[in-house]
Amino acid sequence: MKRKSFILCLMLFACTLVASAEKWKLQWPTYSNELKKQATLDNESAYVDLAICYGYGLGVKQDVKKCEKMFTDMGLDFKAYHAEDCALIWPYASFWYGVFLCDHANEYTAKQLKWLEWSDRAQKEIPADSETIRWRGLRYIFAAAENGMLFDAMMFAARTERNNHDESHYNRDTMRGKGWNENVPYASNFGYYKESMKFYQKACEEGNVDAMLEFAHYLIDMVEMSKGRFEDNQDELAVYWTKTAAEMGSPEAQWIYGNLYRIGWWSRVPKDMDKAIEWYKKSADNGYAPAMGFAGKYILTSSAPDKETLALKYLQMGVENKDGGAACELGKYYKNTNPELALQNFQLAGQMNHPEGLYELGNALYNGLGTTPDLKAAAQAYETCANLGLNNKFVGLCALKIADMYENGTGVFMNKDKAARYRRIAERYKLK
């Protein structure tokens, strides 16, 4: 049972974290002639924005060397031995230079920009590796956090922590030579875990609800990735900050808190569907679209009076707010009573690339629910879902369906290679 709960939770929060990562994109500057005129050392913000425009090719031809030189002219450099001093004078520049270093921390760019470090053993300068570049970048970011850019630095630390957890500095073989301990909780070995925790905690204690929500996402991620081998209070802190943000009115936190009650999260949150629905309703009433579908779906399974009327209200709200889950659930509700309306909602869910919605749409088109059978369109729905790349069982089910269709030439031209490829996807979900 516990294993089942863990798998469900991991699938849920994998999707949640993707949404969170999208939400917290940094606000990138855009090149303009006016910005170029304003970009002087007396105008730190404009000068740095222009450097970033060159570094990333934002509205102008990309020129990473020019970007690097502009930062160097301010006194910021890769070696970062004086990152803290730079952040005192140039906090905005320090933050964005750190971002630039982290995002360009690969061997090719390192050689291209001639970033070097001093080797005492060789008594000469040598090319810096990507791990060193990334760490120097984070030193600038953490220094900026101490000088008025706490929230921005925290968000970038979170992005870096997540996006790079599969890279060399998290690789166990590499880390064995850098203090990796196989016998301690997984998260303890994350490259910047302690630093990130410090800034998260500080931002949350300042009362920033967005920081609380992001910290909750981060902690939940740590707990799930550790497969039970997490620090003693990570699960407790995850629940605490989720609940705090939810009680302070964050619709997304209210939805997440409802999810914790729905699945029963480790030993910290008991399984309680009534409380889950209560938080889903609060989130939905505050305008959070995914919660609308969840509220409608689970109200239908409850013993609430007038449950169908209330559930349909939330599902329709979700459809109006373009939530694929709500459209899918509404389609399932009308399946036996109004096939045409069911198909219409499955089509809406499919347009939003909702995995179960695409699966139901494929089935409806294949079997002629609310329409005449259309095997070609059914195959398109199944194949779209199978290629979503999400950790979702309906991706596996659709992969199995389209594999059979390619195997037999049903609705598509027979293609044994494609059939085999989709069967491999289905096998990841233990489907054959």
Side-chain angles (χ1 to χ4, degrees):
M1 184 66 186
K2 190 166 184 179
R3 176 178 173 80
K4 183 179 180 182
S5 176
F6 166 73
I7 293 171
L8 288 171
C9 192
L10 185 58
M11 290 174 67
L12 167 68
F13 287 108
C15 296
T16 303
L17 289 166
V18 170
S20 175
E22 286 298 309
K23 181 177 179 181
W24 296 118
K25 281 183 178 177
L26 297 171
Q27 297 299 309
W28 300 98
T30 304
Y31 179 88
S32 69
N33 289 328
E34 184 62 29
L35 177 64
K36 189 174 182 180
K37 290 178 184 177
Q38 295 175 3
T40 67
L41 289 176
D42 293 327
N43 187 336
E44 178 191 4
S45 176
Y47 186 87
V48 172
D49 284 352
L50 182 63
I52 289 298
C53 287
Y54 284 123
Y56 291 85
L58 302 172
V60 68
K61 185 177 179 181
Q62 187 175 24
D63 189 338
V64 290
K65 291 184 179 180
K66 188 166 187 175
C67 175
E68 168 70 7
K69 185 178 185 306
M70 289 181 72
F71 281 117
T72 302
D73 289 346
M74 296 182 77
L76 287 74
D77 62 42
F78 158 69
K79 295 180 181 178
Y81 297 123
H82 57 298
E84 291 76 10
D85 295 334
C86 290
L88 283 170
I89 305 170
W90 307 107
Y92 187 70
S94 295
F95 171 73
W96 278 107
Y97 186 52
V99 171
F100 175 71
L101 289 176
C102 288
D103 282 352
H104 292 79
N106 58 69
E107 294 295 335
Y108 173 76
T109 306
K111 292 175 182 177
Q112 185 182 47
L113 293 180
K114 298 181 181 178
W115 282 327
L116 303 170
E117 59 180 330
W118 183 258
S119 169
D120 292 332
R121 180 180 297 177
Q123 292 295 304
K124 64 180 181 180
E125 290 184 324
I126 60 174
D129 60 24
S130 59
E131 165 63 9
T132 302
I133 296 169
R134 186 178 291 108
W135 170 238
R136 299 286 169 80
L138 281 173
R139 282 191 61 183
Y140 272 106
I141 291 169
F142 291 143
E146 297 282 13
N147 288 278
M149 297 199 67
L150 174 62
F151 188 67
D152 297 284
M154 185 200 71
M155 289 304 174
F156 185 78
R159 191 192 88 169
T160 302
E161 194 77 49
R162 288 183 186 145
N163 289 355
N164 296 304
H165 71 264
D166 288 329
E167 294 193 15
S168 62
H169 60 299
Y170 296 117
N171 181 280
R172 290 184 177 226
D173 293 332
T174 302
M175 290 302 294
R176 283 194 183 97
K178 298 183 179 181
W180 180 279
N181 187 342
E182 294 279 0
N183 300 314
V184 301
Y186 182 71
S188 299
N189 290 295
F190 272 36
Y192 315 112
Y193 168 72
K194 296 297 183 186
E195 290 283 0
S196 296
M197 287 287 287
K198 179 176 73 173
F199 289 113
Y200 275 130
Q201 192 76 26
K202 186 175 178 181
C204 290
E205 289 171 357
E206 289 186 357
N208 191 312
V209 177
D210 288 334
M212 295 174 194
L213 175 61
E214 182 64 21
F215 194 23
H217 276 302
Y218 179 80
L219 289 164
I220 289 168
D221 194 18
M222 295 297 99
V223 172
E224 295 304 330
M225 290 180 67
S226 69
K227 299 181 181 179
R229 296 170 61 239
F230 48 82
E231 302 283 4
D232 290 342
N233 68 338
Q234 280 180 336
D235 56 339
E236 181 181 8
L237 281 174
V239 174
Y240 174 79
W241 289 116
T242 302
K243 180 182 178 184
T244 303
E247 290 175 341
M248 291 182 70
S250 167
E252 187 177 350
Q254 291 167 344
W255 176 66
I256 295 171
Y257 201 36
N259 289 335
L260 297 182
Y261 273 115
R262 178 172 61 84
I263 62 177
W265 199 61
W266 297 93
S267 61
R268 295 296 181 182
V269 182
K271 187 171 183 177
D272 188 327
M273 284 304 301
D274 289 338
K275 285 189 176 180
I277 291 171
E278 176 188 338
W279 283 104
Y280 287 148
K281 287 166 63 180
K282 287 181 180 180
S283 177
D285 290 339
N286 282 326
Y288 193 65
M292 297 169 189
F294 277 63
K297 176 179 180 178
Y298 292 105
I299 287 172
L300 278 174
T301 65
S302 72
S303 57
D306 299 323
K307 64 180 183 180
E308 290 196 12
T309 301
L310 188 58
L312 289 175
K313 167 195 163 185
Y314 281 110
L315 291 177
Q316 193 58 50
M317 281 172 58
V319 171
E320 291 170 0
N321 284 274
K322 299 183 178 180
D323 177 58
C328 179
E329 292 302 322
L330 202 55
K332 288 160 64 177
Y333 177 82
Y334 286 117
K335 218 173 182 180
N336 297 321
T337 59
N338 192 331
E340 291 80 7
L341 191 53
L343 176 63
Q344 179 182 331
N345 279 285
F346 290 144
Q347 288 170 331
L348 288 173
Q351 289 169 12
M352 300 171 210
N353 281 338
H354 186 267
E356 186 178 1
L358 284 165
Y359 176 73
E360 291 287 354
L361 176 60
N363 291 344
L365 294 167
Y366 192 98
N367 297 312
L369 177 71
T371 185
T372 55
D374 188 337
L375 301 184
K376 182 178 179 181
Q380 289 175 343
Y382 290 139
E383 193 158 16
T384 298
C385 183
N387 287 313
L388 287 178
L390 300 175
N391 186 9
N392 185 294
K393 69 176 182 180
F394 290 101
V395 172
L397 290 170
C398 284
L400 191 61
K401 290 277 191 180
I402 192 63
D404 288 340
M405 295 181 83
Y406 273 117
E407 185 78 29
N408 301 310
T410 306
V412 293
F413 290 114
M414 185 182 292
N415 189 318
K416 301 294 184 180
D417 290 338
K418 285 189 175 182
R421 180 166 71 85
Y422 285 116
R423 289 200 191 285
R424 287 195 293 271
I425 293 176
E427 286 171 3
R428 298 173 194 165
Y429 300 87
K430 303 189 184 306
L431 300 169
K432 295 182 179 180

